[in-house]
Amino acid sequence: MKKEKITDKELMELIQSGDERAFTELVARYQDRLLNFVGRIVTDQETAEELIQETFLRIFNQKHSYTPEFAVSTWIYTIALNLARSELRKRKLRRFLSLDFLKEESDIEIADKTNFTGESLAPILHKAIDALPEDYKTAFVLCDIQRLPYQQIAEILRVPVGTVKSRINRARAMLRDKLKPYKEIYYELSRGIPQAISLY
Amino acid sequence: MNCRGVSRRLSAFIDNDISPGIRQAMDEHLETCIGCKRRLAEFEAVIEAAHVMKPLALSEGFSQRVAEAIRARQESRQVTGIVRYRFSLAGVAFVAAAASIFFLVGPQSNENLTPVFTGTEDRPVSDNPTVTDFYEHPETKVSSFPIPEGAEAARFTESDSLPVNDSLSRIDEFLLPSVQEVRENVNVKF
């Protein structure tokens, strides 16, 4: 199979006709993307992998329900998002029942603000993204981490494009406010210092 | 354009999602306004930080686990399908068996009628009892109750295939000898 030539839609057609190798190829194409999407939403790697596994199971079992009017990626992201949302709902209920919502979360402190490195921003940004309201977080992750176009984000979230732009704008503004105490980092980053920020 | 208008459009400005005219207005404002310029830099820094976040990595063997999960799900569906098929077969077999038993042992026909009564010495049951015999026999006659005063007794002719409903005579015929003796005793007393 010539990976560089076959499109996602052609791959889906092969999967629908029963080609298991095509399905393996689809898993390889999307597993990392989905991890970086679902992982940012549920913020737990193990849970994210379980959800992605379930996503692929559903893709396999419901392969005939895919219609070419939507991009394959849109369909896949939609399934993954629905599973992630279900997980978040369950967590809210568990958290409520265990009274954990009464505990206050503390902010992460940077140990040494004078000797800043790009890596120290990672946990702060990660926590700040996690603290966003679910709708804003999803839009922000799809736009600024997954780098999807507005139109596709609108199809995945099933909202108008204007709503997508509004949510992204609000998410960015909230993150900016959250990270304001570390504004010297902004100036480092905005000067184009290309340091990869490690999360772990 | 004022600061408020620029702030609202910062995200679209960064994403190049605004018209050329608005872009020009914003450029002109940003050249002179340090506050908006700083806000723009903060927005860009947030986006850049998100872009350079180290991607998450899947744990080893993820693809194999997906393949195994799909195989397991397919096998369980096959087992479920077999179980359902067998249950449906069992159900059909049960219904067929019940129907067979019903038709074989079910309501008794006239030809296979087994007398449930033995009759009395003076009124033995015939080998081939008919409907009339059934109504006439003292053990199987429908019990008659005394007809209320002023009411007429129902009279049935032979053409109606029903016995004459003479309650007084039927009571005597219906009651067993021992009970008749009791009745006589009652009549004597009262």
Side-chain angles (χ1 to χ4, degrees):
Chain A
M1 189 182 301
K2 293 180 181 178
K3 296 178 186 179
E4 65 277 11
K5 290 188 180 176
I6 195 164
T7 63
D8 283 350
K9 284 192 179 176
E10 288 167 349
L11 211 55
M12 272 312 298
E13 283 172 13
L14 289 170
I15 291 169
Q16 286 173 335
S17 66
D19 190 337
E20 290 188 2
R21 287 184 310 161
F23 183 75
T24 307
E25 171 63 20
L26 188 77
V27 170
R29 282 191 191 184
Y30 280 93
Q31 59 187 9
D32 291 318
R33 275 192 262 181
L34 286 182
L35 179 65
N36 281 279
F37 169 52
V38 175
R40 306 292 178 200
I41 304 292
V42 301
T43 63
D44 172 52
Q45 171 113 3
E46 194 179 333
T47 306
E49 288 192 10
E50 285 173 8
L51 293 175
I52 295 163
Q53 186 174 294
E54 182 61 28
T55 302
F56 285 122
L57 272 168
R58 290 195 182 191
I59 289 168
F60 186 81
N61 289 328
Q62 298 168 20
K63 50 185 175 287
H64 295 292
S65 68
Y66 167 73
T67 52
E69 62 186 292
F70 291 106
V72 175
S73 57
T74 302
W75 184 58
I76 292 174
Y77 273 107
T78 305
I79 295 172
L81 177 61
N82 288 338
L83 287 168
R85 280 175 171 165
S86 295
E87 172 63 23
L88 290 176
R89 275 197 294 271
K90 284 181 206 169
R91 271 193 199 170
K92 269 186 194 169
L93 182 61
R94 278 201 294 263
R95 201 163 162 259
F96 179 78
L97 292 174
S98 66
L99 302 180
D100 281 347
F101 67 95
L102 295 172
K103 294 180 196 168
E104 289 182 2
E105 291 186 5
S106 57
D107 288 333
I108 293 177
E109 293 290 328
I110 293 183
D112 187 359
K113 291 181 184 175
T114 59
N115 190 18
F116 164 71
T117 61
E119 290 183 358
S120 51
L121 180 62
I124 304 164
L125 182 60
H126 184 72
K127 198 170 179 70
I129 293 172
D130 188 39
L132 290 173
E134 187 186 319
D135 288 345
Y136 296 168
K137 178 164 54 174
T138 309
F140 177 81
V141 169
L142 286 171
C143 179
D144 289 326
I145 297 179
Q146 296 291 295
R147 314 263 196 123
L148 298 183
Y150 285 156
Q151 181 59 41
Q152 188 173 9
I153 297 172
E155 287 170 4
I156 292 168
L157 300 181
R158 296 181 188 179
V159 296
V161 173
T163 305
V164 170
K165 292 180 186 177
S166 170
R167 287 181 186 178
I168 290 168
N169 192 44
R170 291 297 307 273
R172 288 169 176 172
M174 291 172 80
L175 286 171
R176 183 206 63 191
D177 291 339
K178 192 79 177 174
L179 300 177
K180 245 181 188 173
Y182 314 105
K183 60 180 179 181
E184 57 269 20
I185 300 167
Y186 297 152
Y187 296 127
E188 293 247 351
L189 286 171
S190 64
R191 271 180 246 148
I193 298 175
Q195 293 182 35
I197 299 172
S198 168
L199 279 182
Y200 304 106
Chain B
M1 189 176 288
N2 58 18
C3 293
R4 191 173 177 178
V6 169
S7 289
R8 277 182 26 228
R9 294 176 174 84
L10 279 177
S11 212
F13 182 85
I14 293 168
D15 294 338
N16 203 22
D17 189 41
I18 49 173
S19 62
I22 293 181
R23 172 165 280 276
Q24 189 180 352
M26 286 183 73
D27 281 335
E28 289 169 4
H29 181 88
L30 286 165
E31 280 176 9
T32 55
C33 180
I34 297 172
C36 287
K37 203 169 186 177
R38 185 168 61 236
R39 267 193 289 275
L40 176 65
E42 288 168 354
F43 258 69
E44 285 173 337
V46 166
I47 296 167
E48 184 60 28
H51 285 174
V52 300
M53 280 175 83
K54 188 180 174 185
L56 300 174
L58 286 164
S59 58
E60 205 175 318
F62 178 80
S63 302
Q64 285 81 8
R65 287 199 295 277
V66 170
E68 281 166 15
I70 288 173
R71 257 195 301 276
R73 187 73 65 91
Q74 280 180 304
E75 282 168 10
S76 74
R77 282 191 170 190
Q78 280 176 358
V79 168
T80 307
I82 289 171
V83 167
R84 278 192 195 148
Y85 177 68
R86 287 185 177 170
F87 265 113
S88 65
L89 270 184
V92 168
F94 176 78
V95 169
S100 305
I101 291 169
F102 178 77
F103 285 117
L104 285 172
V105 184
Q108 295 175 1
S109 65
N110 285 336
E111 290 177 7
N112 295 326
L113 185 65
T114 304
V116 296
F117 50 89
T118 56
T120 58
E121 286 180 1
D122 56 341
R123 297 289 292 275
V125 178
S126 65
D127 289 333
N128 294 307
T130 64
V131 171
T132 307
D133 293 337
F134 182 84
Y135 280 105
E136 289 297 327
H137 198 283
E139 288 190 22
T140 56
K141 273 185 179 178
V142 175
S143 60
S144 300
F145 294 97
I147 296 170
E149 203 174 335
E152 284 186 8
R155 295 276 168 184
F156 298 96
T157 61
E158 285 183 2
S159 62
D160 291 334
S161 303
L162 288 173
V164 172
N165 185 8
D166 185 344
S167 59
L168 291 174
S169 64
R170 285 173 64 75
I171 285 174
D172 289 336
E173 289 171 351
F174 178 74
L175 290 173
L176 296 172
S178 58
V179 179
Q180 236 173 352
E181 287 171 3
V182 171
R183 192 180 174 81
E184 285 166 6
N185 287 331
V186 169
N187 287 337
V188 164
K189 284 181 183 176
F190 293 99

